């Protein structure tokens, strides 16, 4: 980690729901909460709690020096709305293959 930069990952107790165009895409009561310096809290959801049949794989890849390389998926009308780290850095290994959405609703 860079000086002053911090990332934590912990099990969440929140009820997280993702709705796209009126359709529930994901719903979980067992998110992982990733907190990163300078970024909003992000909820990483287990794939079993996501309707993966609604996702279309994207060619987009991004690299974060703190988390690793992310792969992306799109929803109808929402390109690259979902991402996951298939091989994250050891410091955030818990998020491996969990899915994160730009738009989430915490209940």
């Amino acid at each position: 980690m860079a000086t002053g930069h911090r990332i934590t990952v912990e099990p969440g107790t929140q009820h997280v729901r993702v709705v796209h165009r009126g359709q529930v895409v994901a719903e979980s009561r067992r998110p992982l909460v990733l907190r990163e310096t300078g970024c909003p809290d992000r909820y990483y959801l287990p794939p079993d709690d996501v309707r993966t049949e609604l996702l279309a794989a994207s060619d987009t890849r991004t690299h974060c020096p703190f988390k690793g390389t992310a792969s992306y998926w799109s929803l109808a009308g929402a390109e690259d709305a979902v991402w996951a780290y298939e091989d994250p850095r050891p410091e955030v290994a818990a998020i491996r293959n969990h899915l994160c959405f730009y738009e989430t609703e915490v209940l």
Side-chain angles (χ1 to χ4, degrees), residues 7-10 32-36 39-44 67 85 92 95:
I7 296 178
T8 61
V9 179
E10 57 194 41
L32 295 175
V33 183
L34 185 140
R35 294 182 173 91
E36 181 174 4
C39 299
D41 290 355
R42 292 290 183 194
Y43 298 93
Y44 283 78
K67 293 186 289 290
Y85 292 88
V92 294
I95 65 171

Side-chain angles (χ1 to χ4, degrees), residues 1-2 5 7 36 63-69 85 89 91:
M1 297 289 164
H5 191 270
I7 296 178
E36 181 174 4
H63 182 76
C64 170
F66 306 109
K67 293 186 289 290
T69 299
Y85 292 88
R89 294 182 49 96
E91 299 87 349

Side-chain angles (χ1 to χ4, degrees), residues 19-78:
V19 178
H20 178 68
R21 294 186 172 177
Q23 184 173 42
V24 176
V25 176
E27 189 156 14
S28 184
R29 292 184 184 273
R30 52 191 184 130
L32 295 175
V33 183
L34 185 140
R35 294 182 173 91
E36 181 174 4
T37 302
C39 299
D41 290 355
R42 292 290 183 194
Y43 298 93
Y44 283 78
L45 309 181
D48 289 345
D49 295 348
V50 177
R51 295 187 56 202
T52 56
E53 74 275 9
L54 300 176
L55 307 180
S58 167
D59 290 332
T60 301
R61 302 287 179 270
T62 59
H63 182 76
C64 170
F66 306 109
K67 293 186 289 290
T69 299
S71 299
Y72 287 77
W73 291 263
S74 299
L75 293 163

